[in-house]
Amino acid sequence: MDYLNNTNHHTLTFILLGIPGLEAQHIWISIPFCAVYAIALLGNCFILFLIKTERSLHAPMYYFLSMLALYDIGLSLTTLPTILSIFWFNSQEINFDACLVQMFLLQTFSLMESSVLLAMAFDRFIAICNPLRYVSILTNSTIAKIGVAIVVRIVALEIPLIVLLKRLPFCKSNLLSHSFCFHADFMKLACADTKINSIYGLFVVLSTAGVDSMFIILTYVMIIKALLSITSQEGRLKAFNTCFSHICAVLIFYTLMLGMAVVPRFGKSVPLIIYFIMGELCFLLPPVLNPIIYSIKAKQIRKAVLKIFSRKQEEQV
């Protein structure tokens, strides 16, 4: 692999990782990948369509779910171009600026998803612990402000990360560890002191996903305390069941994010194919599973789906 001896960012290119050892089978491997991406995009678009058209879903919980679906669509569309260029055209090169844009979008949508999961935990807390004031607390105006705050918070934290990367010279191997551009990869390839970048990158993750996860845990501790005060076991199960989809989404998202953070720590002992698989799982699995989980476990969404299908059957008759 060539080495970069030119630190001009306009001509700088990186090599994205395909599936090591299976380059000849990339066309065939692209078929299941395209199917999974299609499921992710169609599933989340269907959730958005359902929430928009069904008045019964015009409620805080489903507004937050629509935000989650939007960010999942953004995540899928961000990684899809480089995956297809690798599998279909064997084109693994990406220039510096395009790589920065992809990294920015990838991390922005991912951290926005973390923030929405926190907002959804707050929604469940209000619904269970203070149901009489649920609608008055989570008004449309409040939800809109939360959505704007999430976007502003993440974008404001991510922009300095891009600025810090732009100042770095790159003169090491140009091989990235994933099929997309990721912040940790840039750090490994720079030939200058990256301490400031590493510290700020850690600060961004801890102040977003780290803080969000801690508040989600705290929220569920309070929810469990409230559930234990319900005398009826049936009532406890019914209330807890409204949290089940959210708990699954949280576990999937943070487990994969933790895995993505831990794998690079093992360095050269980890095969390149593990980097590829872990990266794809981290940014593709949540967009695929979230709409499936909510469609199966959310009673109102199931009703809305059945309503649409029954309406179509009536029209055909």
Side-chain angles (χ1 to χ4, degrees):
M1 198 62 65
D2 295 333
Y3 285 83
L4 303 174
N5 52 21
N6 185 355
T7 58
N8 185 343
H9 291 161
H10 296 291
T11 59
L12 198 57
T13 59
F14 295 104
I15 306 298
L16 297 166
L17 180 71
I19 303 182
L22 296 176
E23 288 82 3
Q25 285 76 41
H26 273 176
I27 289 291
W28 297 107
I29 294 170
S30 72
I31 296 173
F33 268 91
C34 287
V36 173
Y37 271 103
I39 291 169
L41 292 171
L42 291 174
N44 285 290
C45 286
F46 182 68
I47 290 289
L48 289 174
F49 168 78
L50 211 58
I51 293 170
K52 185 179 186 299
T53 55
E54 289 299 317
R55 291 188 63 85
S56 61
L57 299 179
H58 292 180
M61 174 182 174
Y62 301 106
Y63 290 144
F64 287 127
L65 179 58
S66 66
M67 291 183 200
L68 189 69
L70 275 173
Y71 299 146
D72 279 338
I73 290 170
L75 269 179
S76 299
L77 291 177
T78 300
T79 57
L80 182 60
T82 49
I83 281 286
L84 293 185
S85 68
I86 292 170
F87 284 161
W88 288 0
F89 309 109
N90 199 30
S91 175
Q92 295 177 258
E93 290 191 358
I94 184 169
N95 68 50
F96 180 81
D97 290 329
C99 210
L100 273 188
V101 170
Q102 187 182 49
M103 188 209 77
F104 174 79
L105 292 174
L106 201 61
Q107 295 191 181
T108 297
F109 285 127
S110 183
L111 294 176
M112 283 179 182
E113 184 159 335
S114 172
S115 297
V116 172
L117 289 173
L118 173 58
M120 294 173 85
F122 177 70
D123 167 85
R124 291 300 82 208
F125 170 73
I126 299 297
I128 292 171
C129 301
N130 203 348
L132 297 178
R133 296 189 60 202
Y134 178 66
V135 177
S136 63
I137 293 174
L138 289 174
T139 62
N140 289 347
S141 173
T142 301
I143 293 168
K145 288 175 183 175
I146 291 172
V148 171
I150 288 171
V151 173
V152 171
R153 173 201 184 199
I154 303 304
V155 171
L157 285 169
E158 283 293 323
I159 288 175
L161 206 62
I162 302 299
V163 174
L164 287 171
L165 282 172
K166 288 279 283 185
R167 71 182 180 86
L168 291 177
F170 293 88
C171 57
K172 296 182 181 179
S173 169
N174 58 350
L175 178 64
L176 298 174
S177 303
H178 300 284
S179 58
F180 49 82
C181 298
F182 198 58
H183 183 254
D185 274 354
F186 280 104
M187 297 300 95
K188 291 188 294 183
L189 302 182
C191 55
D193 185 11
T194 59
K195 188 178 292 183
I196 294 175
N197 297 70
S198 298
I199 291 171
Y200 185 75
L202 182 62
F203 166 75
V204 170
V205 173
L206 291 179
S207 62
T208 51
V211 171
D212 294 343
S213 60
M214 293 304 296
F215 274 112
I216 289 171
I217 293 169
L218 181 61
T219 302
Y220 270 101
V221 168
M222 292 188 288
I223 287 173
I224 291 169
K225 285 178 67 177
L227 290 175
L228 292 174
S229 66
I230 300 174
T231 54
S232 165
Q233 184 175 356
E234 184 181 348
R236 284 199 296 268
L237 289 173
K238 187 177 179 181
F240 181 76
N241 195 48
T242 64
C243 302
F244 186 80
S245 299
H246 179 255
I247 291 171
C248 289
V250 167
L251 289 176
I252 291 166
F253 178 82
Y254 284 104
T255 300
L256 291 170
M257 181 174 275
L258 182 63
M260 191 73 170
V262 168
V263 166
R265 300 294 183 271
F266 292 97
K268 295 179 181 179
S269 63
V270 178
L272 287 176
I273 193 168
I274 299 299
Y275 279 99
F276 179 89
I277 293 171
M278 198 65 222
E280 289 305 310
L281 288 177
C282 188
F283 296 110
L284 186 54
L285 209 56
V288 170
L289 294 180
N290 287 340
I292 295 172
I293 291 167
Y294 274 93
S295 297
I296 293 172
K297 292 301 297 179
K299 187 178 179 181
Q300 288 295 100
I301 289 182
R302 289 204 310 272
K303 283 184 177 179
V305 172
L306 291 172
K307 186 178 175 182
I308 287 176
F309 281 110
S310 62
R311 192 186 301 156
K312 284 184 177 180
Q313 287 176 352
E314 289 173 2
E315 289 173 356
Q316 288 173 355
V317 173

